[in-house]
Amino acid sequence: LRREVFRQFTLRDHQDVCNRIIGMTLPDQLFHLLDYSNTSPEDPAYKLWNDAWAEAVRDKALSQIYSDSLVMLHKTVVDVIEQGCHQGYFHPDTRTESIATKAWRLMSISFGAMSISDINPALLLPVSSAELLRNSIRSELGQKSITD
């Protein structure tokens, strides 16, 4: 039951994020898909994600559900990047690695920054975390600028 509740939560949470970015430019969509600098460790949804991650390390079945949620986010990130390439927003060098690989790296940077900020906000302030993400997107995708 716990696993199914988490599965339904991940689907709903992902849909909520997708609904929030409708109408934004593709660079803004990408940034908002990956930016966790405005989240709070006290937010119930945020707590659930953190608790699920910790439990997923011990529970293989929950691990698969958590992994599925990451794959779902990754697919959305790749779709946004590909659309952004077609519309001229992004110009990644894909000669040596795919957009999919770049998307995983951007997700890793985002999740890593979020984890550092959670453990000790003095180490990486939210504004610094957001700027790190912006710079990473520019570097990975060859974009000149990203709006706030």
Side-chain angles (χ1 to χ4, degrees), residues 61-126:
L62 187 62
S63 172
Q64 185 59 53
I65 295 166
Y66 201 100
S67 178
D68 291 347
S69 73
L70 294 175
V71 169
M72 185 170 42
L73 175 60
H74 181 260
K75 180 185 180 328
T76 303
V77 169
V78 168
D79 290 347
V80 169
I81 293 171
E82 288 176 343
Q83 289 174 37
C85 290
H86 293 299
Q87 293 184 25
Y89 287 106
F90 306 128
H91 308 283
D93 180 358
T94 55
R95 291 174 294 181
T96 57
E97 63 184 12
S98 67
I99 288 173
T101 299
K102 292 176 181 299
W104 280 120
R105 188 167 25 257
L106 289 171
M107 289 171 60
S108 297
I109 290 166
S110 173
F111 297 156
M114 176 180 57
S115 297
I116 292 168
S117 292
D118 284 352
I119 292 169
N120 185 347
L123 296 175
L124 188 59
L125 298 173

Side-chain angles (χ1 to χ4, degrees), residues 4-57:
E4 187 54 33
V5 167
F6 184 65
R7 180 186 317 280
Q8 292 306 313
F9 166 78
T10 64
L11 294 171
R12 189 186 76 231
D13 191 57
H14 184 74
Q15 188 58 55
D16 289 347
V17 170
C18 291
N19 289 341
R20 281 195 303 271
I21 64 172
I22 291 172
M24 293 180 180
T25 66
L26 291 166
D28 285 342
Q29 286 183 27
L30 180 61
F31 179 76
H32 289 284
L33 277 170
L34 298 174
D35 179 35
Y36 297 96
S37 64
N38 292 323
T39 60
S40 166
E42 284 73 45
D43 177 357
Y46 191 79
K47 283 182 178 182
L48 180 59
W49 277 110
N50 284 343
D51 290 347
W53 178 84
E55 186 61 26
V57 172

